[in-house]
Amino acid sequence: MKIVDAKVVVTSPGRNFVTLKLTTDEGVTGLGDATLNGRELAVVGYLEEHVVPLLIGRDPHRVEDTWQYLYRGAYWRRGPVTMAAIAAVDTALWDIKAKVAGLPLYQLLGGPSRERLRTYGHANGRDLPELLDSVRARLAEGYPAVRIQSGVPGLESVYGVHVTDGVGAPVLHQRALPLVENWDTDAYLRHIPGVFEAVRAEFGPELPLLHDAHHRLTPNQAARLARDLEAYRPYWLEDCTPAENQEGLRLVRRHSTTPLAIGEVFNTLHDYQALITEQLIDYVRSSVTHFGGVTPLRKLFDFAAQYQVKGAPHGPEDISPVGTAAALHLDLAAHNFGIQEYAGHTPLTEEVFPHAYAFADGHLHPGDEPGLGVELDEGLAAAHPYEPAYLPVNRLKDGSVHDW
């Protein structure tokens, strides 16, 4: 069997997605997600100009060898563009291999370690009443755990608090130029413990609550927040400080027992090495799409398991159903799976990418179709072409750029 065609499809059914479609000489196809939010066309160029020519004629069953060939062979390693491109190839090859075997991908990864996958949903509000209503909505949808993000008094816009359509669904905007948000760390640190207190008072001590600081705090500030939240027993505090400064997590760990999750912007296992071996974190947050594919993320899970660290892949709206499905297959097979973020997709996205995975009673299952269980409606995808889009930029009150 050989790869005879490799096609990159860009579509925007509400937001941009990049998909690699590989086809073999026996007519078997495989899909991989290469979406890099705000930098989609950089990955398209990397794939079309540099990777696709290397794939034609290769044996699709040589998944590990192809991964090493693309990672080591280019000399320039790592980085989000490179790893998203490799991820698309790797995931598409696993899709083909499982289809040829006539099995869902999780069976090739060792079979199921559980019957279903626990998820958490996103609750957000510009103020406390709106946030409490959002938590109620997520619970009504069946989510067993909820991430809570709140507006901060005095700030016009805050990460994780969406403009809604009036019934709670986020309105997703493509932007030709980045939205500029403002930020005040002191106001945030004063506000968030009260948010947890209000949510706990309303919903009790048993509901798992998560929160994302989105890299905006110094290590000392992160340690303070982690300590202040301890009384409310958060399931985790996510991305409390930029992890490029890995020593910063030592400071946070020394001052608090609040569980820590990190890694959605990491690209390789090397980014995690000290954090895992020194047990500075509790959950690894990388996605299949941005970590180089199923092959390296499975290795990360295995490495983390030796230190009682669990896997919890990133699952935002800007990872396509192809990337979502790949994560679910790995989650089902990996013994040290913790929880899966599930933001869902727009109805139009679901039409462009029909899939076998299903959400019910707050849990996900990848389905039992051969391969990933995701298809691509290329005609519908073509009807929704790429739209220029950027992630926001964050500035402090004095106008200086801050971490977003």
Side-chain angles (χ1 to χ4, degrees):
M1 183 181 289
K2 294 182 179 181
I3 298 170
V4 295
D5 187 57
K7 182 179 182 181
V8 181
V9 177
V10 184
T11 184
S12 186
R15 68 190 315 149
N16 295 316
F17 298 108
V18 179
T19 307
L20 176 67
K21 181 179 180 180
L22 300 182
T23 304
T24 74
D25 55 356
E26 296 182 11
V28 183
T29 61
L31 299 178
D33 182 21
T35 306
L36 185 62
N37 193 1
R39 294 293 185 269
E40 297 90 352
L41 298 186
V43 187
V44 172
Y46 192 102
L47 282 168
E48 291 183 339
E49 302 299 329
H50 302 291
V51 174
V52 164
L54 304 176
L55 300 177
I56 306 304
R58 291 187 65 86
D59 180 353
H61 286 301
R62 299 187 66 173
V63 181
E64 176 72 23
D65 181 69
T66 299
W67 193 94
Q68 299 293 344
Y69 178 73
L70 295 177
Y71 180 77
R72 298 179 187 277
Y75 183 71
W76 305 107
R77 304 179 184 180
R78 308 169 74 175
V81 174
T82 293
M83 299 313 289
I86 294 175
V89 177
D90 183 81
T91 304
L93 294 181
W94 277 111
D95 193 18
I96 290 171
K97 182 179 283 289
K99 285 178 179 176
V100 171
L103 295 169
L105 176 57
Y106 70 80
Q107 294 289 10
L108 273 63
L109 301 176
S113 288
R114 55 194 49 81
E115 299 303 316
R116 57 183 187 165
L117 304 170
R118 184 165 70 151
T119 68
Y120 70 88
H122 294 179
N124 65 88
R126 289 165 292 184
D127 53 28
L128 280 175
E130 192 169 281
L131 173 61
L132 295 177
D133 285 343
S134 185
V135 174
R136 292 186 191 97
R138 299 295 82 75
L139 295 179
E141 292 166 353
Y143 283 101
V146 182
R147 190 189 78 169
I148 55 173
Q149 306 293 135
S150 170
V152 177
L155 300 185
E156 295 177 4
S157 59
V158 175
Y159 163 78
V161 180
H162 301 295
V163 176
T164 67
D165 61 5
V167 294
V171 177
L172 306 177
H173 295 285
Q174 306 284 32
R175 295 186 178 275
L177 291 174
L179 170 70
V180 178
E181 296 184 350
N182 61 331
W183 184 248
D184 183 331
T185 301
D186 289 337
Y188 166 79
L189 291 175
R190 289 192 300 268
H191 182 63
I192 290 301
V195 170
F196 268 81
E197 181 179 25
V199 174
R200 279 281 176 241
E202 181 72 18
F203 298 100
E206 295 183 0
L207 176 63
L209 298 177
L210 305 85
H211 180 69
D212 186 357
H214 222 245
H215 319 101
R216 294 185 170 187
L217 307 178
T218 66
N220 193 56
Q221 292 165 344
R224 171 184 163 188
L225 179 61
R227 185 188 60 204
D228 288 349
L229 295 182
E230 274 189 7
Y232 308 109
R233 296 291 191 269
Y235 186 89
W236 76 38
L237 175 60
E238 180 181 353
D239 288 337
C240 60
T241 190
E244 292 96 328
N245 173 18
Q246 301 211 343
E247 291 184 358
L249 274 295
R250 297 190 185 114
L251 177 65
V252 181
R253 203 57 140 180
R254 283 198 300 268
H255 288 278
S256 175
T257 59
T258 293
L260 302 176
I262 211 159
E264 68 182 56
V265 298
F266 287 179
N267 306 129
T268 71
L269 189 147
H270 306 293
D271 299 313
Y272 282 105
Q273 188 170 1
L275 299 180
I276 291 175
T277 57
E278 295 185 32
Q279 299 188 350
L280 301 179
I281 58 174
D282 302 279
Y283 296 90
V284 295
R285 292 280 292 126
S286 293
S287 66
V288 169
T289 300
H290 302 138
F291 201 72
V294 174
T295 296
L297 194 60
R298 181 185 184 187
K299 293 175 182 178
L300 173 65
F301 274 41
D302 288 343
F303 176 55
Q306 310 311 307
Y307 297 88
Q308 297 175 295
V309 174
K310 293 186 176 183
H314 192 210
E317 303 99 321
D318 52 46
I319 287 174
S320 85
V322 176
T324 298
L328 302 186
H329 283 278
L330 179 58
D331 291 345
L332 199 71
H335 180 262
N336 60 323
F337 165 75
I339 196 168
Q340 176 63 53
E341 179 181 22
Y342 183 60
H345 293 97
T346 66
L348 182 56
T349 299
E350 302 270 324
E351 292 181 38
V352 173
F353 297 94
H355 53 76
Y357 69 77
F359 176 77
D361 299 323
H363 292 75
L364 285 160
H365 190 282
D368 291 311
E369 294 295 318
L372 292 175
V374 183
E375 301 299 329
L376 173 63
D377 185 330
E378 294 189 57
L380 186 56
H384 300 278
Y386 169 81
E387 298 183 31
Y390 285 93
L391 292 170
V393 171
N394 200 31
R395 291 186 182 273
L396 301 178
K397 287 184 176 181
D398 67 0
S400 58
V401 175
H402 191 59
D403 292 301
W404 186 81

